[in-house]
Amino acid sequence: MKQLHEQAHLNGRPLKPESLMMSYGFKPEWSEGAIKCPIFQTSTFVFNSAEEGKAFFELAYGLRQPAPEEEMGLIYSRLNNPSLEILEDRLTLWDGAEDAASFASGMAAISTSLLALLKPGDVVLHSEPVYGGSDFFLKQVLPRFGITAEGFDLHTTPEQLQERAAALGEKLAVLFVETPANPTNRLFDLQACAAAARRGGTAQRPCRVLVDNTFLGPVFQHPLRHGADLVIYSATKFLGGHSDLIAGAVLGSKALMKEVRAMRTFMGTMCDPNTGWMLMRSLETLKLRMERAAQSARVIADWLREHAQVTRTYYLGHLQDDPAQQAIFEQQCLSAGSMISFDIAGGEAEAFQFLNSLKLIKLAVSLGGTESLAEHPASMTHSDIEPATQREMGITASMVRLSIGVEDAHDLIADLDQAFNQVQQQAVAPVAALHA
Ligand SMILES: *Cc1c(COP(=O)(O)O)cnc(C)c1O
């Protein structure tokens, strides 16, 4: 621990996460001078003695308190592995968290965290909409274990949320928030959520605030500083950032992470060493990638807003007409990020023609990678939501969602422009044919 603290400072100056991503938690002398941490591709670890094995297990199973400076030794890769421990140490830096745990996927991170904190009879209050997998887990899986999920949306005022939390009382165990919401980029006020959570739960078992921070990532939003107890990532998105792996992460206080980690051990939902190593490589460029993509997104969003075939943009840099949303943005977001949705003039047909005409931007779900992606939320990522509910959530048939990558912004605009032209030509063509 002391060693880690020393590595994070230079003559007493705390170093920025981006300065530490190449070295933190690893020493070349541990591995033949290798500048990069090796992949510890191993399932189990050899004990120096039976006594050492016993001591490690005592700590792993909490049979005794650790001695001063005693840390848990390596036992078996479902419990711990150096490739994951170094990754997890690095992950803590961005969010200023005490502890982090890596997972096999974002869904593994979400489901394991929820199961670690919930028991039959509990209620989860959650923002709506949430990611489709989370939605299914909350509404279809948890009820089978006697746990109820109740949604709240943007029309719920902070006072109403507090009243609902107070009415649920000790049954309220978790408040789960995803902000900005996908695909509309609507913001939920994290401090208001934390205040509501304090109205539920009990002194012995407080209601925990879990925040899915995948969309702005650990560079542009730090929920732990706004009252969250756990921050969760689909590391598949910005953290991985190259559309080549599936992983997840959870961060929080040492005490709470102990519960999450224990559930991870028993469910076996940890990340594998190779993916852990890939994530470490990705973290070296995390800030560069996110800032660059956000810069391009601003240029592209502003261009889209002025386009004759765009009826509306959903972008965190375009909240000027909505003072309440703008206030939340200023309070908790550090950038508008790189996710843009927009409504194309027309409906599903125009949206599909547009998507089918893109050349440089790929038609795929997922987000946060180096390449720009486009998709149609109503028929793809959010297709299992009833049309009426989709409308309530503001998801329209004409909505296209863009995840902006690191390509040249003007190349991306050229692609969007030619796709808009294709849509317009196809709209004109049938009329021309009629008159022929
Ligand atoms: C993708 C995503 C998830 C699920 O993550 P996986 O890594 O695909 O399991 C959860 N939440 C949000 C907001 C996501 O975008």
Side-chain angles (χ1 to χ4, degrees), residues 105-108 110 131 134 178 182 212 214-215 234-237 246-248 367:
S105 68
M107 281 313 302
I110 291 166
Y131 178 74
S134 311
E178 192 181 311
N182 173 23
D212 183 334
T214 300
F215 260 55
S234 166
T236 311
K237 315 296 167 52
I246 300 266
L367 58 110

Side-chain angles (χ1 to χ4, degrees), residues 361-409:
I361 301 170
K362 298 290 176 278
L363 171 52
V365 299
S366 197
L367 58 110
T370 43
E371 62 280 274
S372 295
L373 302 177
E375 65 114 6
H376 185 248
S379 67
M380 295 171 193
T381 45
H382 295 71
S383 57
D384 63 338
I385 301 171
E386 300 277 323
T389 315
Q390 280 192 2
R391 275 194 296 281
E392 255 169 56
M393 291 175 178
I395 302 170
T396 64
S398 55
M399 183 186 278
V400 171
R401 187 188 79 181
L402 298 175
S403 169
I404 301 301
V406 299
E407 305 92 337
D408 178 80

Side-chain angles (χ1 to χ4, degrees), residues 164-431:
R164 280 180 68 182
L168 288 167
E170 63 183 34
K171 283 196 292 188
L172 182 62
V174 166
L175 205 149
F176 183 92
V177 196
E178 192 181 311
T179 181
N182 173 23
T184 50
N185 269 335
R186 304 288 292 181
L187 297 171
F188 287 91
D189 183 338
L190 290 174
Q191 291 184 6
C193 290
R198 285 193 289 271
R199 303 290 300 277
T202 63
Q204 296 73 36
R205 197 163 165 261
C207 168
R208 305 298 189 177
V209 180
L210 274 53
V211 179
D212 183 334
N213 195 34
T214 300
F215 260 55
L216 283 176
V219 177
F220 295 149
Q221 185 169 260
H222 301 118
L224 295 176
R225 293 177 196 163
H226 300 280
D229 294 299
L230 291 178
V231 52
I232 305 181
Y233 294 102
S234 166
T236 311
K237 315 296 167 52
F238 291 100
L239 294 178
H242 294 72
S243 307
D244 56 4
L245 61 84
I246 300 266
V250 181
L251 297 90
S253 69
K254 276 211 156 63
L256 205 51
M257 288 305 297
K258 207 173 153 189
E259 296 177 42
V260 173
R261 231 173 240 288
M263 189 56 84
R264 184 183 75 166
T265 292
F266 295 113
M267 292 182 68
T269 44
M270 71 294 159
C271 187
D272 69 276
N274 184 61
T275 303
W277 187 92
M278 302 247 292
L279 276 171
M280 277 193 267
R281 155 167 286 205
S282 292
L283 287 181
E284 296 184 5
T285 56
L286 176 68
K287 191 170 184 196
L288 273 178
R289 287 184 282 106
M290 289 196 76
E291 286 188 338
R292 174 52 206 280
Q295 265 171 18
S296 295
R298 174 164 299 278
V299 176
I300 292 163
D302 289 348
W303 180 83
L304 283 168
R305 184 166 57 174
E306 300 305 319
H307 199 282
Q309 283 161 271
V310 172
T311 58
R312 181 170 174 185
T313 56
Y314 306 79
Y315 169 64
L316 293 180
H318 290 170
L319 299 174
Q320 292 78 7
D321 298 335
D322 193 335
Q325 286 280 298
Q326 179 70 21
I328 303 175
F329 178 82
E330 283 166 18
Q331 167 89 2
Q332 69 194 34
C333 310
L334 300 169
S335 161
S338 51
M339 297 300 296
I340 309 168
S341 294
F342 68 90
D343 287 330
I344 189 168
E348 186 187 271
E350 285 75 10
F352 277 19
Q353 280 166 6
F354 178 85
L355 290 168
N356 291 338
S357 303
L358 290 169
K359 294 194 169 109
L360 180 60
I361 301 170
K362 298 290 176 278
L363 171 52
V365 299
S366 197
L367 58 110
T370 43
E371 62 280 274
S372 295
L373 302 177
E375 65 114 6
H376 185 248
S379 67
M380 295 171 193
T381 45
H382 295 71
S383 57
D384 63 338
I385 301 171
E386 300 277 323
T389 315
Q390 280 192 2
R391 275 194 296 281
E392 255 169 56
M393 291 175 178
I395 302 170
T396 64
S398 55
M399 183 186 278
V400 171
R401 187 188 79 181
L402 298 175
S403 169
I404 301 301
V406 299
E407 305 92 337
D408 178 80
H410 295 282
D411 286 346
L412 294 173
I413 287 178
D415 193 24
L416 296 168
D417 197 34
Q418 65 81 24
F420 279 123
N421 288 338
Q422 292 286 328
V423 177
Q424 198 162 37
Q425 275 163 25
Q426 285 177 43
V428 172
V431 181

